């Protein structure tokens, strides 16, 4: 088969004919139960979850009160992408979401890649939410006097890595009591867990429990899932509004100064956590075949969900950072933590209960989305036929739903929160980029049937060059040092925690002796704590640089430089080169501004993720390509038709 066969496309007309045929004969047809209100509720159910109850804490700790600007930027980027999703959903009202849209716009190989990437959004996203749910659920049990062993409420990687870091810090003089709560828990889980040979049995069993329950509900039917989702959305919206109403009376405006303590880089550091707070609105598009009027209701549901959730996120971020200092918010349960710190125990209890409900609603929407993607891929022959099997009574993709349960449940026992959050974000952003690009590719093709919704057209031909000039002026005029450091790959000093955890026992002693020697008052420290001793110099950049330069260890421990530093900048360089290409393309083709801005914003957020996420994502895509060339390519319905 020629290379061109990889890019064979499905036509909108053929897709619509197949949907009509399914509806007429009842074969592989899903039940139609959803309205615009239900879709908005699903969107809120998917968005207001782990983001507002968990990852907002880390983002606030990195960016300070200015994290609200990151919420606005991310909401804007998602809104641009939502316009593209809404246009495709109106044009092709089927369950495939970005997978089906890419099949129409780019061809089969790109459709497969995006379908494979969406597994990272839905399945891995659910792993993240299940882990967060487990944290809140076990906290709720402990507040009621039920204490589960640490090794049944923590994943394997967190326990293993936490044990290593805790051991290194204690070798550096830090006492167990002075370790962070997370490191204490990880150390305890690792040391108290059952051991089989050299393997420590540490697994997050509550996460497994909730996945089993949600999978059973999704399997049971869309109507039951919708009713459960609507109830959970009402409960958590009431709780979020209660948090804002109570918290506003405890806001101390002094906590909003400085507003952006770590500058623009600090705000952008939380891009993965904040973006994760928004993913899920696109899951609405996977329910297209179950909508009563998808061409009208899908765009409305997406837009209303994003608008409502953005307002809630900004209000919560301002209240949280006003109630306590931003520096204290890097915890897994920021809402409960803040009210507990202010001795409002009754609010902490209410938040814990609502978080358990909120996380469950996110799991519900994502567990609905993944099977419907697989069902669409199976209908096209790219996955085995059984993935498209629809339960005759419940009218749900039964086999795909069960497989999704296993795909989410097993990794949730062992993977840690940070890794899966970032992987989920890069998979989702990649999907958003391709959907926005798909709208741009199809914008000038007259033979494509259009739906009721079309993205408003604004010519980007001259606007994009102007925006680029403004960006260059800002970079070299107002952010010159950071820009030049990026271009010249300027050596960076590692922070105290990274330095201390990289030391072996002999180096630990040498470093401590050196720090005592340069500052005699530290010689009286009863419990030598290297991280504390180094941290006290961080307030003065020049002093910290001098102290680190004198440490009796190799430069590779003290500094990040050369290729080890440059590799983390590769994603941003990719973004910059692609940006130049997009400007040229927009000038030549008079591209529509809104989907183009959506593509650029999402690609920029991908560039802000670490290079390791790109590497893991690339490996994931390569595994997918092996499956495509081994099975999907020859079994594709388009291949059968050609033959």
């Amino acid at each position: 088969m020629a290379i061109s066969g990889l890019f064979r496309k499905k036509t909108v007309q053929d897709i619509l004919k197949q949907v009509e045929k399914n509806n007429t004969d009842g074969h592989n047809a899903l039940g139609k139960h959803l309205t615009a209100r239900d879709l908005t509720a699903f969107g809120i159910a998917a968005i207001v979850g782990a983001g507002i109850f968990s990852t907002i804490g880390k983002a606030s700790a990195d960016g300070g009160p200015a994290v609200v600007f990151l919420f606005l930027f991310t909401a804007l980027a998602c809104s641009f992408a939502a316009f593209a999703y809404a246009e495709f959903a109106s044009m092709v009202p089927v369950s495939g979401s970005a997978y089906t849209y890419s099949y129409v716009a780019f061809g089969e190989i790109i459709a497969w890649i995006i379908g494979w990437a969406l597994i990272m959004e839905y399945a891995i996203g659910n792993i993240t939410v299940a882990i967060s749910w487990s944290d809140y659920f076990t906290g709720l049990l402990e507040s009621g006097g039920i204490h589960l062993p640490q090794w049944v409420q923590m994943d394997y990687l967190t326990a293993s890595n936490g044990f290593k870091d805790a051991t290194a810090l204690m070798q550096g003089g830090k006492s167990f009591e002075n370790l962070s709560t997370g490191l204490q828990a990880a150390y305890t889980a690792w040391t108290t867990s059952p051991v089989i040979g050299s393997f420590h049995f540490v697994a997050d069993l509550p996460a497994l429990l909730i996945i089993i329950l949600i999978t059973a509900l999704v399997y049971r039917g869309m109507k039951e899932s919708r009713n459960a989702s609507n109830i959970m959305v009402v409960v958590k919206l009431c709780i979020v509004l209660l948090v804002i109403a109570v918290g506003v009376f405890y806001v101390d405006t002094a906590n909003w100064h400085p507003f952006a303590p770590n500058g623009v880089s600090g705000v952008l550091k939380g891009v993965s956590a904040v973006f994760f707070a928004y993913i899920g609105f696109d899951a609405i598009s996977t329910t297209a075949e179950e909508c009563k009027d998808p061409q009208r209701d899908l765009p409305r549901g997406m837009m209303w969900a994003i608008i409502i959730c953005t307002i809630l996120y900004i209000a919560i971020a301002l209240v949280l950072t006003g109630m306590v200092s931003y520096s204290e918010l890097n915890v897994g349960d920021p809402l409960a933590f803040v009210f507990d710190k202010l001795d409002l125990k009754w609010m902490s209890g209410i938040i814990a209960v609502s978080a358990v409900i909120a996380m469950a609603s996110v799991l519900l929407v994502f567990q609905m989305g993944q099977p419907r993607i697989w069902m669409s891929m199976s209908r096209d022959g790219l996955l085995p036929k059984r993935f498209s099997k629809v339960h005759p009574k419940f009218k749900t993709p039964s086999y795909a739903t069960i497989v999704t349960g296993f795909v989410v449940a097993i990794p949730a026992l062992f993977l840690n929160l940070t890794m899966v959050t970032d992987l989920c974000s890069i998979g989702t952003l990649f999907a958003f980029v391709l959907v926005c690009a798909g709208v741009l590719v199809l914008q000038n093709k007259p033979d494509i049937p259009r739906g009721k919704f079309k993205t408003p057209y604004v010519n980007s031909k001259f606007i994009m060059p102007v925006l680029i000039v403004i960006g260059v002026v800002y970079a070299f005029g107002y952010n010159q040092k950071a820009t030049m450091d990026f271009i010249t790959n300027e050596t960076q000093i590692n922070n105290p925690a990274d330095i201390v955890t990289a030391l072996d026992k002999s180096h630990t002693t040498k470093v401590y002796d050196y720090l005592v020697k340069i500052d005699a008052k530290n010689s009286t420290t009863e419990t030598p704590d290297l991280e504390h001793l180094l941290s006290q110099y961080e307030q003065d950049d020049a002093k910290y640089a001098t102290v680190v330069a004198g440490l009796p260890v190799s430069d590779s421990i003290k500094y990040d430089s050369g290729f080890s530093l440059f590799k983390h900048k590769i994603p941003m360089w990719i973004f910059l080169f692609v940006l130049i290409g997009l400007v040229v393309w927009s000038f030549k083709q008079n591209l529509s501004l809104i989907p183009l801005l959506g593509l650029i914003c999402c690609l920029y957020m991908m560039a802000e993720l670490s290079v390791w996420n790109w590497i893991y994502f690339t490996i994931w895509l390569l595994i997918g390509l092996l499956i495509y060339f081994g099975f999907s390519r020859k079994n594709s319905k388009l291949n059968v038709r050609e033959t």
Side-chain angles (χ1 to χ4, degrees):
M1 186 188 299
I3 294 295
S4 60
L6 297 176
F7 296 94
R8 53 199 175 197
K9 299 175 182 178
K10 294 180 70 175
T11 65
V12 175
Q13 292 90 336
D14 286 345
I15 294 172
L16 295 177
K17 284 178 184 176
Q18 185 60 49
V19 172
E20 186 63 34
K21 183 176 181 296
N22 289 344
N23 290 334
T24 301
D25 61 19
H27 176 66
N28 283 349
L30 302 174
K32 293 184 178 293
H33 304 290
L34 304 178
T35 64
R37 185 181 63 183
D38 297 322
L39 293 170
T40 302
F42 274 137
I44 296 171
I47 297 171
V48 179
I52 210 162
F53 287 100
S54 179
T55 54
I56 193 175
K58 183 181 185 307
S60 298
D62 290 333
V67 75
V68 295
F69 294 121
L70 185 54
F71 278 114
L72 280 172
F73 169 71
T74 309
L76 199 60
C78 288
S79 296
F80 292 147
F83 271 106
Y85 264 94
E87 181 166 337
F88 264 124
S90 180
M91 186 192 310
V92 194
V94 295
S95 294
S97 184
Y99 157 76
T100 301
Y101 309 156
S102 297
Y103 219 144
V104 172
F106 302 110
E108 187 171 279
I109 185 68
I110 305 299
W112 168 265
I113 289 173
I114 199 62
W116 188 248
L118 283 172
I119 297 175
M120 298 195 81
E121 175 181 355
Y122 294 111
I124 295 185
N126 251 359
I127 294 169
T128 307
V129 180
I131 294 170
S132 294
W133 183 92
S134 175
D135 290 342
Y136 270 97
F137 180 69
T138 52
L140 187 61
L141 290 181
E142 287 184 8
S143 66
I146 302 173
H147 301 283
L148 298 178
Q150 283 290 346
W151 55 271
V152 303
Q153 56 177 293
M154 181 174 290
D155 62 273
Y156 182 89
L157 282 179
T158 296
S160 175
N161 295 336
F163 173 77
K164 292 174 185 174
D165 288 346
T167 302
L169 289 171
M170 286 192 288
Q171 284 179 352
K174 188 182 285 290
S175 65
F176 179 79
E177 293 73 20
N178 287 332
L179 292 173
S180 68
T181 305
L183 284 181
Q184 287 185 27
Y187 186 88
T188 302
W190 189 258
T191 54
T192 60
S193 62
V195 181
I196 304 172
S198 60
F199 176 77
H200 289 250
F201 183 82
V202 183
D204 198 338
L205 297 185
L208 175 66
L209 171 66
I210 189 61
I211 292 168
I212 292 173
L213 293 176
I214 292 295
T215 302
L217 177 60
V218 172
Y219 182 90
R220 184 70 178 75
M222 175 56 76
K223 190 181 293 185
E224 291 77 7
S225 300
R226 177 200 65 188
N227 294 341
S229 172
N230 288 348
I231 292 169
M232 288 189 280
V233 165
V234 170
V235 171
K236 67 181 177 182
L237 284 182
C238 289
I239 298 301
V240 169
L241 293 174
L242 178 63
V243 167
I244 295 170
V246 174
V248 75
F249 291 103
Y250 293 87
V251 167
D252 180 359
T253 54
N255 288 323
W256 289 339
H257 303 287
F259 198 71
N262 298 315
V264 175
S265 61
V267 173
L268 292 175
K269 191 176 180 182
V271 69
S272 173
V274 169
F275 178 72
F276 183 77
Y278 278 98
I279 67 171
F281 78 84
D282 61 313
I284 302 172
S285 64
T286 67
T287 65
E289 288 182 46
E290 291 145 293
C291 297
K292 293 178 179 178
D293 187 354
Q295 294 186 320
R296 182 196 68 187
D297 293 341
L298 278 168
R300 293 182 181 181
M302 288 182 188
M303 296 304 175
W304 275 115
I306 290 176
I307 291 169
I308 292 170
C309 293
T310 300
I311 294 170
L312 292 176
Y313 275 140
I314 290 174
I316 283 284
L318 286 174
V319 168
L320 279 182
T321 53
M323 292 172 71
V324 301
S325 170
Y326 70 91
S327 60
E328 300 180 57
L329 288 173
N330 192 11
V331 293
D333 52 350
L335 295 190
F337 166 79
V338 165
F339 284 99
D340 193 48
K341 185 176 178 63
L342 294 176
D343 206 28
L344 296 171
K345 305 287 187 184
W346 62 276
M347 276 296 295
S348 296
I350 291 175
I351 289 167
V353 173
S354 65
V356 168
I357 296 171
M359 304 285 187
S361 70
V362 180
L363 281 164
L364 176 63
V365 178
F366 276 33
Q367 285 296 88
M368 284 193 321
Q370 181 64 76
R372 284 155 179 78
I373 299 288
W374 279 343
M375 181 184 71
S376 294
M377 297 174 77
S378 175
R379 285 174 174 174
D380 296 330
L382 303 187
L383 286 177
K385 192 173 181 180
R386 62 178 58 186
F387 278 90
S388 60
K389 180 182 177 183
V390 174
H391 196 284
K393 179 181 178 183
F394 302 139
K395 298 297 181 183
T396 58
S398 50
Y399 180 81
T401 300
I402 293 171
V403 173
T404 298
F406 278 102
V407 168
V408 175
I410 303 305
L413 295 171
F414 306 107
L415 296 181
N416 66 34
L417 191 62
T418 302
M419 176 182 289
V420 290
T421 300
D422 289 348
L423 284 175
C424 178
S425 294
I426 196 169
T428 308
L429 285 166
F430 184 65
F432 286 8
V433 165
L434 284 186
V435 171
C436 292
V439 170
L440 295 173
V441 167
L442 297 180
Q443 74 170 33
N444 294 322
K445 294 190 176 180
D447 57 334
I448 301 294
R450 303 292 172 178
K452 296 178 183 177
F453 179 86
K454 196 171 190 311
T455 305
Y457 177 79
V458 178
N459 194 337
S460 64
K461 182 171 186 174
F462 298 110
I463 296 176
M464 282 305 301
V466 171
L467 292 177
I468 294 299
V469 170
I470 292 172
V472 170
V473 170
Y474 170 78
F476 288 95
Y478 299 93
N479 199 29
Q480 186 175 11
K481 185 180 186 308
T483 302
M484 293 308 300
D485 286 350
F486 175 83
I487 294 173
T488 60
N489 203 40
E490 184 69 23
T491 298
Q492 294 182 358
I493 304 174
N494 287 327
N495 63 47
D498 288 340
I499 293 174
V500 172
T501 53
L503 301 175
D504 59 28
K505 203 163 187 177
S506 61
H507 284 131
T508 298
T509 304
K510 291 178 182 177
V511 170
Y512 175 69
D513 291 341
Y514 166 77
L515 292 175
V516 170
K517 181 180 177 182
I518 64 171
D519 194 348
K521 70 179 182 180
N522 290 323
S523 62
T524 60
T525 304
E526 294 181 7
T527 54
D529 182 346
L530 287 187
E531 186 187 14
H532 172 72
L533 296 180
L534 266 177
S535 296
Q536 67 181 352
Y537 298 107
E538 273 194 300
Q539 301 301 321
D540 184 338
D541 290 343
K543 180 70 172 175
Y544 181 66
T546 303
V547 170
V548 170
L551 293 177
V553 293
S554 67
D555 284 351
S556 62
I557 294 176
K558 296 185 286 187
Y559 303 106
D560 199 5
S561 61
F563 183 74
S564 68
L565 176 61
F566 176 76
K567 67 186 178 187
H568 296 292
K569 300 177 180 179
I570 292 175
M572 188 56 70
W573 280 111
I574 292 174
F575 166 75
L576 293 174
F577 285 121
V578 172
L579 180 61
I580 294 170
L582 289 174
V583 172
V584 174
W585 186 28
S586 69
F587 191 82
K588 287 184 175 180
Q589 299 293 327
N590 298 319
L591 297 180
S592 177
L593 181 65
I594 290 177
L596 181 61
L597 288 177
L599 193 161
I600 291 170
C601 290
C602 292
L603 193 61
Y604 173 76
M605 287 191 283
M606 284 182 72
E608 284 290 340
L609 298 175
S610 78
V611 69
W612 295 113
N613 292 307
W614 285 65
I615 291 171
Y616 296 145
F617 183 58
T618 302
I619 293 171
W620 177 257
L621 293 184
L622 290 174
I623 294 171
L625 288 175
L626 289 176
I627 296 173
Y628 174 77
F629 286 105
F631 174 86
S632 306
R633 187 184 182 194
K634 62 185 177 184
N635 288 285
S636 166
K637 293 284 181 67
L638 294 186
N639 184 50
V640 173
R641 186 184 301 173
E642 288 175 4
T643 304

